[in-house]
Amino acid sequence: MSCTAEPDTAGSQQLAFDENNGGLELPDGFQVVVVAENVGPARHITVRDNGDIYVALSEKQQEGGTAALRDTDGDGVADQTEYFGEYTGTGIDIRDGYLYRSSDVEVFRYPLPNDGLAPTGQPETIVTGLPEQSQHAAKSFTLDQSENIYVNIGGPSNACQEEMRSPGSPGQDPCPQLERHGGIWQFSATQTEQTQQEDGHRYATGIRNAVALEWNNSINKLYLVQHGRDQLNALWPDRFSKKEGVQLPAEEFFSVEDGDNFGWPYSYYDHFQEKKVLAPEYGGDGNKIGRAADFEDPTYAFPAHWAPNDLLFYNAAQFPEKYQNGAFVAFHGSWNRAPETQEGYRITFLPFDGENPSGEHETFADNFAGTDELKSPGNAEYRPTGVAIGPDGSLYVSDSIKGKIWRIVYTGE
């Protein structure tokens, strides 16, 4: 989640830069302050104009589901941490003096204190009664500039099979999960006690799970990166090789218009063929197109199974010109590329010119996993999950394992 930022690199020489860049590999000219080491398993992150940091947690710490961090001496390292809030979950952002937060079934907001760090009192409930689900439960969100909030409600399955994740099981047709799942719903960001059925507008559908979504303020448009489906080889070994199961399908980057249908669960995007094809649950064999021709193509395609978990557009001025208005994507990393090594576990940058990508993606921050030969995600040292921009234009990154927080600063050195 991003924060509108004004360029201000004054005082960067007083920051406590880590001599090893917090273990990260970065382009030349960037340095790292390790803000915190063990906040707790972190999801998305946001930064207030005064530099206070708020982190969504997936597990409570000290009876709180959200962490608030403050640096009181100007070195960039958090020396004050407070935990608050009853619920854990993924989504978090700041708008108009409120801290917006989501659990797996609600969206709510706290008034931010004038001087204090953690909000006090009970939050207002913005949206309630969202679907409970055992898969893809994160209700991540983003806010536009017209008092609307866009909430991800992921599909509660891999591919809407009659028997979930069972080899050869056909897909339900039509997929009943699309009635309340598998898309983005729009709500008012200020009205309280809304429900999906009564107040939600289905803004886009056919999306398996979009933990990474962001309203691009510079062009006033929604973008997201989808978690692609799993197990093509495991579920359909007569149609897909082990290699194809590892390399397909793409993680799709969508430019979203109201009413778009991106085709889950009926199709997926093959970035080698550069086309959407029919899913095997619906008669596909890796080449047939069929109804896949009716769905929107991605704006860009990332490699398979990288697990995109956050997205932001860089709207500050600290970083060099090449990064202006481009997209940073936090890839949480794969679990299902065996027998190959797992991939992802990085922050990737995609340049933009106006509404569209203007080049190929490149790795911006790497070595979160701590090894190039990772076989299991359980052995990763860190997994990047959230990204945010600070008031000076620094890029903040959160980790879902221990809750390490990095602040990446461009110094030119």
Side-chain angles (χ1 to χ4, degrees), residues 25-45:
E25 296 174 0
L26 296 164
D28 291 343
F30 290 90
Q31 294 181 269
V32 168
V33 177
V34 177
V35 177
E37 291 277 6
N38 292 285
V39 171
R43 300 293 288 176
H44 287 174
I45 182 172

Side-chain angles (χ1 to χ4, degrees), residues 4-5 13 54 84 140 150 152 189 191 203 212 218 221 233 259 270 278 287 292 295 299 314 322 328:
T4 301
Q13 297 305 312
Y54 297 89
F84 66 94
S140 49
Y150 301 82
N152 165 61
Q191 180 181 335
Y203 195 80
S218 67
K221 192 173 186 180
N233 167 255
D270 184 324
L278 201 61
N287 294 296
F295 306 125
T299 299
Y314 190 79
K322 67 172 284 186
F328 285 99

Side-chain angles (χ1 to χ4, degrees), residues 112-175:
L112 284 166
N114 290 330
D115 300 313
L117 177 56
T120 58
Q122 295 299 309
E124 298 177 345
T125 300
I126 301 299
V127 184
T128 189
L130 295 173
E132 294 189 53
Q133 51 205 92
S134 60
Q135 296 185 47
H136 309 145
K139 303 304 187 294
S140 49
F141 63 82
T142 187
L143 296 128
D144 69 13
Q145 297 171 295
S146 302
E147 297 189 341
N148 297 305
I149 188 168
Y150 301 82
V151 181
N152 165 61
I153 305 178
S157 69
N158 178 40
C160 203
Q161 290 177 285
E162 291 180 1
E163 297 181 36
M164 192 176 296
R165 295 186 185 263
S166 297
S169 177
Q172 301 176 71
D173 197 358
C175 175

